[in-house]
Amino acid sequence: MNYTKEQILAHCNEFSKNTLMETLKIEYIDAGEDFLTAKMPVNPSVHQPMGLLHGGASVALAESVGSAASFFFINPKEQEVRGIEISANHLKSIREGYVFGTARIIHKGRSLHLWEIKITDEAGNLISLCKLTNMVLDRKKTEQHE
């Protein structure tokens, strides 16, 4: 990566405006050579009817952080990232507080990135374990940024 931690976090939080990430109040909070971490509040807006964190909200957090992480391994002027598969195992429930999604690269190829995303609570308990595959696509000449 050719970006500082501060640049990565600022970019991720900026491009989250007016998106699902903003709706879910996802905030990117830490980054390193092989990981990116975001947090999301657990409250009624992300609950399922039984008052627990909705699995879909967990998956949205996982895909958001894993896709954002791939962005820093590509040339955004010539390439873009698309999530093509995500799986999740929900291991523990949570009713309130924060969850943290940390994406770590498993495989960084030219055309595919494979990420493991661990979603934990504030005490470090594993809530969900997710796997995300991203495809790296070349931008069409008309879409490339000058």
Side-chain angles (χ1 to χ4, degrees):
M1 282 196 225
N2 297 324
Y3 303 93
T4 67
K5 174 181 169 177
E6 292 75 21
Q7 289 172 319
I8 291 169
L9 298 177
H11 181 77
C12 289
N13 286 314
E14 180 63 28
F15 73 56
S16 294
K17 291 183 178 176
N18 299 312
T19 67
L20 178 66
M21 287 80 78
E22 184 175 65
T23 299
L24 296 177
K25 297 183 175 31
I26 293 172
E27 178 186 357
Y28 295 88
I29 60 168
D30 199 9
E33 279 296 314
D34 68 344
F35 77 94
L36 180 63
T37 300
K39 72 177 184 176
M40 180 178 73
V42 179
N43 56 45
S45 69
V46 295
H47 282 169
Q48 42 94 312
M50 301 302 288
L52 302 170
L53 174 62
H54 193 291
S58 296
V59 170
L61 172 61
E63 185 156 358
S64 298
V65 73
S67 293
S70 273
F71 179 83
F72 295 99
F73 289 126
I74 66 167
N75 177 345
K77 292 180 179 179
E78 298 177 6
Q79 300 170 305
E80 56 191 10
V81 174
R82 294 285 187 273
I84 59 171
E85 182 178 9
I86 190 163
S87 63
N89 293 97
H90 305 300
L91 306 169
K92 188 175 169 84
S93 58
I94 181 172
R95 292 182 182 276
E96 59 185 14
Y98 282 89
V99 287
F100 301 85
T102 299
R104 292 193 182 278
I105 192 79
I106 295 171
H107 171 76
K108 182 179 71 169
R110 286 182 297 111
S111 60
L112 290 177
H113 295 170
L114 179 61
W115 294 92
E116 175 186 75
I117 303 101
K118 290 184 178 179
I119 299 177
T120 58
D121 64 14
E122 293 169 283
N125 297 308
L126 187 60
I127 303 299
S128 296
L129 181 61
C130 305
K131 183 179 74 172
L132 172 67
T133 305
N134 290 328
M135 182 185 313
V136 179
L137 300 171
D138 290 331
R139 287 183 182 267
K140 294 178 184 169
K141 294 273 185 214
T142 58
E143 295 176 348
Q144 291 182 1
H145 299 289
E146 300 298 322

